[in-house]
């Protein structure tokens, strides 16, 4: 009996400026939802010194039952360095990062931009900001559900660019 060969997981890098909110949410969600077909990472173009994932983001993930262990803010330079995991898909999740000049990514991965408003921005109450994180988490999750349920032929390197860019926001 011939088993269908299992392809290695697709490595997906989510980028945002500080790597503290949206990209962290996306990384944690895709790793929880990816069913072994995806391995998610996140990074920022310019994380601040001692930058940490936003506490309200970690709280939103925990309330949704998504593991937060190992999440940390980091520079995208880690993923452009020799020995870094090879990325298949790079998704910017904030408009600032989408407009920045990215490092050279080995292997020319597919790219897409999925813009989401910064849930940590503004002067609202803690409850307002917590609700903004919950809404952002939900919006990212809806798009990731489409991604993780795509058939393998839509995730092949030749189709991935168009597929990722055309996943609709719900």
């Amino acid at each position: 009996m011939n088993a269908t060969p299992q392809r290695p997981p697709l490595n997906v890098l989510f980028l945002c400026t500080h790597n503290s909110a949206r990209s962290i949410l996306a990384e944690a969600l895709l790793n929880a939802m990816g069913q072994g077909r995806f391995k998610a990472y996140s990074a920022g173009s310019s994380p601040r010194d001692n930058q940490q994932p936003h506490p309200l983001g970690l709280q939103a993930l925990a309330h949704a039952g998504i593991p937060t262990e190992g999440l940390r803010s980091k520079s995208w330079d880690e993923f452009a360095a020799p020995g870094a995991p090879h990325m298949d898909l790079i998704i910017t999740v904030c408009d600032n990062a989408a407009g920045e000049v990215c490092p050279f990514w080995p292997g020319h991965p597919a790219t897409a931009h999925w813009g989401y408003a910064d849930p940590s921005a503004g002067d609202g109450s803690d409850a307002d900001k917590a609700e903004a994180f919950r809404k952002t988490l939900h919006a990212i999750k809806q798009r990731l559900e489409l991604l993780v349920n795509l058939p393998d032929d839509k995730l092949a390197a030749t189709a991935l660019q168009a597929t990722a860019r055309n996943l609709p926001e719900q």
Side-chain angles (χ1 to χ4, degrees):
M1 184 161 84
N2 290 339
T4 304
Q6 182 95 15
R7 68 162 175 77
L10 279 179
N11 286 334
V12 180
L13 178 61
F14 294 98
L15 297 178
C16 203
T17 304
H18 299 296
N19 189 218
S20 65
R22 293 160 283 187
S23 52
I24 292 282
L25 296 176
E27 174 187 6
L29 275 169
L30 185 55
N31 280 330
M33 299 166 60
Q35 306 159 0
R37 296 176 68 211
F38 299 87
K39 174 65 179 140
Y41 303 88
S42 69
S45 57
S46 57
R48 297 179 186 107
D49 288 342
N50 301 312
Q51 182 77 56
Q52 297 296 318
H54 197 288
L56 291 174
L58 296 176
Q59 179 183 345
L61 289 165
H63 283 184
I66 306 295
T68 60
E69 298 82 35
L71 293 175
R72 65 183 180 89
S73 300
K74 55 212 156 293
S75 171
W76 65 14
D77 294 339
E78 285 189 30
F79 297 95
H86 168 81
M87 293 300 143
D88 298 294
L89 175 60
I90 296 176
I91 300 172
T92 53
V93 291
C94 76
D95 293 336
N96 287 346
E100 294 174 338
V101 176
C102 293
F104 171 77
W105 303 109
H108 304 289
T111 60
H113 174 63
W114 298 353
Y116 299 98
D118 184 355
S120 66
D123 296 325
S125 69
D126 285 348
D128 291 341
K129 286 185 179 180
E131 179 63 10
F133 271 93
R134 189 197 65 73
K135 286 180 176 178
T136 302
L137 182 72
H138 181 71
I140 293 170
K141 183 177 186 227
Q142 286 184 308
R143 199 176 247 167
L144 288 175
E145 282 175 347
L146 296 173
L147 180 67
V148 301
N149 287 303
L150 288 169
D152 282 343
D153 66 315
K154 294 286 189 189
L155 298 173
T158 55
L160 190 55
Q161 180 83 33
T163 300
R165 287 188 177 182
N166 291 319
L167 287 176
E169 219 176 322
Q170 303 276 313

